[in-house]
Amino acid sequence: METSSSGCDVPSSEGTGRDLQHPSLCPPLLHLPTELLAEIFQSTLPSVDLMLDQVEARLLSYMRKLYGMRLVGKRWQEIIDGTPTFWTFVLSILPQHVNEATILRSGNGLLVIVYALNGYTKGQPSAKDFFKSWAHTFPRWSAYRGPLLSQYLDKPAPQLEKVILMRNELGDEPLELLGGNATSLRHVDLSYVSIRWKAGLFTNLKVLKLVKVGRNPQELTTTLFLDMLLASPFLEQLDLIKMDATTDTSSSYPIITLPRLRFIRLSSCPYKFMGGILRQIRASSCTTFWLTAGVDRLDLPRLLDDDLRHFNELFRSIHQSNGSSEITLDIDGFRWSYYGSYYGGPGLENNPSFSFSVVIFDDHPTTCIRWVGRILQNNPGLGIRFSFGANLSRDVFESMRSMRCVTRVELGSCWADDEILSVSRFLGGPLGASPSLPSLPCLQEILFHGTFWNVQKVLEMLHSRFNSLSREHVERTPLRIRVKPMGSRPIIDLTTLIKIRETDGVESVQFFRPEHVDDWLAITWDEETSKPAWG
């Protein structure tokens, strides 16, 4: 490729070109029609998603491949150079002459302008110098990612459909985005910038992501925000982080139906703003829902029972389809989640499977636990993970004691003796009104992390859970015991381990080592001999 300067330059690919020029490698391709060859070339180029954090690397890969194919032969070079749609990306970390060639070969086609901000900034010009070089192409911009500069983004841009603004260089002075007429935009992603809000600023959006966008309290109101959603019936992604607005929505505001909205994230937004949005929208196609909130206890019942009511079916169906979800109790409070087979960030393209997460910062999570119980009822598969700092009060245990949907309990490490005793008493105790049943009557598995869980206490808990006379004639749910040691650990009391396995009601005892750790001595149970086996 025609580059030679910083470490961000695209390699020349000369070796690749010489290899491909060999006449025996691609003779059929030489005789294909030009239009078909152009389609083949397009299909081999990597796709570029401007929302990805490492989009610069993707763009460099695109340019390397494009220039590599130009070296195959004269005809290929002519086809590539004569196809304007190949030449769309202007990237700040590429040398000036490479970007100039892109502009020349793009004809009058649309351009995507990217100014690198994260990790790839070595050797690139300042934002003002970069924009000055390409200011004459502004009417052709279809997408822009980079800092917000007033002298370029304060005027109308009818071709501009996507903006990703990640840093404000205007201080606290708000910008009249695109001269106050941004209706051409379909993808709006603003982070830590300040703009002027007005009625009708955005319409027909597909993606709306706002991260702590500066505002005038008199300008951005909940009604104005809901009006934007109402004017965007084909919205697919709604992502709001640290956002707020003046509450002025009346109870008569119409319900907003967004049939294509698949991704919703509301994080660290004040309850009045967040709840006002959740109450008004209906998203029947939603597959990914993430909420993180600190909510006053007086508002919490309304959030769970009213604002989230129309998403209960989503939570329940994801749980049922995958056979599991998990409540985590830790120092921050409460989380109920299922992240699916892959958790790669908020973009729709990063979440191929259904997922949800509801995080409530509350050190007394009984209301949240009961809420989950009402949604799942007797649907099995719910896990409860007690992590460091979890509230282990009697009220918390009572809120989950009778939940038949709970089939798994996970116990973290670094626990004090009194905390271990509290959990042991809970798991070994009766179901309250039904003393013939234990707490969490459908529990199938207990996973112990770390070394603080003394096997003798585990044995005592199991005897209490299974060996009560009042439960002799009650069918018991077989229980699996799994232990995952962490760090150095004491020698396991093998005698007690045998007694645990022999307890009526215990299906199996398993030790499994942390990943990527060698030199561990494994102990397994030989069902035929009823003895431990060393591995």
Side-chain angles (χ1 to χ4, degrees):
M1 179 176 168
E2 308 159 0
T3 66
S4 60
S5 58
S6 70
C8 294
D9 288 353
V10 180
S12 67
S13 303
E14 291 180 358
T16 302
R18 285 193 298 269
D19 292 341
L20 291 174
Q21 286 175 355
H22 193 280
S24 65
L25 291 180
C26 50
L29 291 177
L30 298 177
H31 304 290
L32 292 176
T34 298
E35 295 77 8
L36 182 56
L37 269 178
E39 290 290 335
I40 293 173
F41 296 159
Q42 185 68 65
S43 68
T44 64
L45 292 170
S47 61
V48 177
D49 186 342
L50 295 185
M51 289 193 70
L52 296 178
D53 289 337
Q54 301 298 323
V55 66
E56 294 87 355
R58 196 75 172 176
L59 286 170
L60 289 174
S61 175
Y62 178 98
M63 297 301 288
R64 287 190 185 102
K65 193 148 194 177
L66 187 63
Y67 271 82
M69 289 190 296
R70 290 178 75 247
L71 296 174
V72 170
K74 182 178 180 181
R75 186 179 179 222
W76 282 31
Q77 180 176 332
E78 291 174 348
I79 294 173
I80 292 172
D81 289 356
T83 306
T85 54
F86 291 151
W87 305 96
T88 58
F89 299 111
V90 177
L91 179 60
S92 62
I93 56 176
L94 289 175
Q96 178 84 359
H97 68 276
V98 174
N99 286 327
E100 288 175 349
T102 294
I103 298 296
L104 179 64
R105 294 163 184 161
S106 65
N108 294 319
L110 298 177
L111 297 172
V112 175
I113 311 297
V114 177
Y115 186 84
L117 291 176
N118 300 312
Y120 290 86
T121 57
K122 181 180 178 181
Q124 72 175 351
S126 69
K128 290 183 178 180
D129 289 342
F130 177 71
F131 285 107
K132 185 177 180 180
S133 298
W134 315 116
H136 64 284
T137 68
F138 183 71
R140 297 167 53 197
W141 292 12
S142 66
Y144 166 68
R145 172 181 170 127
L148 192 157
L149 293 175
S150 62
Q151 59 267 45
Y152 298 99
L153 295 172
D154 62 351
K155 57 174 103 33
Q159 302 284 3
L160 193 59
E161 293 190 350
K162 179 181 293 188
V163 291
I164 302 175
L165 307 179
M166 296 172 288
R167 187 175 64 196
N168 196 354
E169 295 194 355
L170 295 175
D172 295 327
E173 183 66 24
L175 172 74
E176 190 103 22
L177 185 63
L178 302 187
N181 183 9
T183 56
S184 65
L185 293 176
R186 298 294 173 262
H187 180 126
V188 174
D189 183 342
L190 310 178
S191 298
Y192 299 95
V193 301
S194 183
I195 66 170
R196 291 193 180 280
W197 296 97
K198 57 180 288 187
L201 179 63
F202 301 127
T203 62
N204 293 311
L205 293 175
K206 290 186 177 180
V207 173
L208 178 59
K209 178 179 180 180
L210 303 175
V211 181
K212 201 173 183 179
V213 176
R215 68 181 180 91
N216 183 323
Q218 283 73 45
E219 289 183 350
L220 181 57
T221 66
T222 52
T223 297
L224 189 152
F225 188 88
L226 290 171
D227 286 346
M228 285 193 294
L229 300 184
L230 188 63
S232 301
F234 302 120
L235 190 69
E236 298 176 3
Q237 180 170 339
L238 178 62
D239 197 351
L240 305 175
I241 302 174
K242 298 180 181 179
M243 286 298 297
D244 194 7
T246 300
T247 304
D248 69 340
T249 308
S250 69
S251 58
S252 61
Y253 195 94
I255 296 299
I256 302 172
T257 301
L258 301 169
R260 297 186 184 181
L261 183 57
R262 294 184 288 146
F263 178 94
I264 300 174
R265 175 167 64 173
L266 301 175
S267 178
S268 303
C269 301
Y271 168 68
K272 287 186 178 180
F273 175 67
M274 178 176 58
I277 294 171
L278 291 172
R279 279 191 295 276
Q280 297 303 134
I281 64 174
R282 301 292 182 268
S284 58
S285 299
C286 184
T287 60
T288 303
F289 183 97
W290 296 342
L291 181 143
T292 302
V295 183
D296 185 275
R297 288 185 186 173
L298 295 177
D299 293 323
L300 186 58
R302 187 182 186 191
L303 170 66
L304 299 177
D305 297 331
D306 296 336
D307 304 338
L308 290 176
R309 177 164 51 93
H310 298 283
F311 296 94
N312 287 355
E313 183 56 37
L314 171 67
F315 306 147
R316 180 166 43 242
S317 64
I318 291 177
H319 173 91
Q320 290 177 332
S321 298
N322 297 281
S324 68
S325 62
E326 182 176 82
I327 289 176
T328 299
L329 303 178
D330 57 21
I331 195 170
D332 291 326
F334 167 92
R335 178 173 70 246
W336 181 30
S337 60
Y338 177 83
Y339 289 124
S341 58
Y342 179 68
Y343 172 59
L348 295 172
E349 72 287 345
N350 293 328
N351 294 276
S353 59
F354 287 61
S355 66
F356 72 89
S357 174
V358 177
V359 178
I360 305 295
F361 298 120
D362 184 2
D363 59 2
H364 197 73
T366 55
T367 301
C368 299
I369 295 171
R370 292 191 176 100
W371 169 67
V372 175
R374 290 194 296 273
I375 293 175
L376 295 185
Q377 297 293 324
N378 293 330
N379 288 298
L382 180 65
I384 297 180
R385 179 185 176 95
F386 295 95
S387 293
F388 177 71
N391 184 335
L392 302 178
S393 67
R394 180 176 178 179
D395 288 345
V396 171
F397 289 136
E398 288 302 319
S399 68
M400 66 180 70
R401 188 181 296 276
S402 62
M403 292 174 67
R404 294 181 175 272
C405 54
V406 177
T407 58
R408 182 174 181 269
V409 167
E410 186 170 338
L411 305 166
S413 60
C414 302
W415 292 67
D417 289 341
D418 58 335
E419 293 174 324
I420 296 173
L421 184 60
S422 296
V423 177
S424 296
R425 285 176 175 171
F426 166 64
L427 293 176
L431 189 56
S434 301
S436 61
L437 293 173
S439 299
L440 305 179
C442 298
L443 187 63
Q444 299 174 9
E445 178 178 295
I446 303 178
L447 171 60
F448 296 94
H449 280 270
T451 61
F452 290 81
W453 294 91
N454 183 281
V455 290
Q456 182 61 40
K457 288 186 172 61
V458 174
L459 178 62
E460 293 171 0
M461 178 270 291
L462 293 172
H463 281 178
S464 176
R465 184 175 181 86
F466 290 121
N467 293 348
S468 171
L469 293 176
S470 62
R471 304 174 205 161
E472 286 181 351
H473 303 294
V474 176
E475 183 177 353
R476 299 163 176 169
T477 302
L479 187 63
R480 298 185 298 275
I481 305 296
R482 305 182 71 202
V483 180
K484 183 177 182 179
M486 299 175 65
S488 59
R489 62 185 176 91
I491 297 175
I492 296 297
D493 182 346
L494 191 57
T495 302
T496 307
L497 181 66
I498 295 174
K499 292 179 180 178
I500 289 175
R501 179 59 187 86
E502 290 176 342
T503 300
D504 189 15
V506 174
E507 180 182 89
S508 63
V509 179
Q510 297 176 329
F511 283 79
F512 61 102
R513 67 182 188 181
E515 295 180 2
H516 311 301
V517 176
D518 295 325
D519 302 324
W520 284 67
L521 182 62
I523 302 176
T524 59
W525 190 266
D526 189 325
E527 298 292 345
E528 294 183 359
T529 63
S530 296
K531 294 181 180 180
W534 302 86

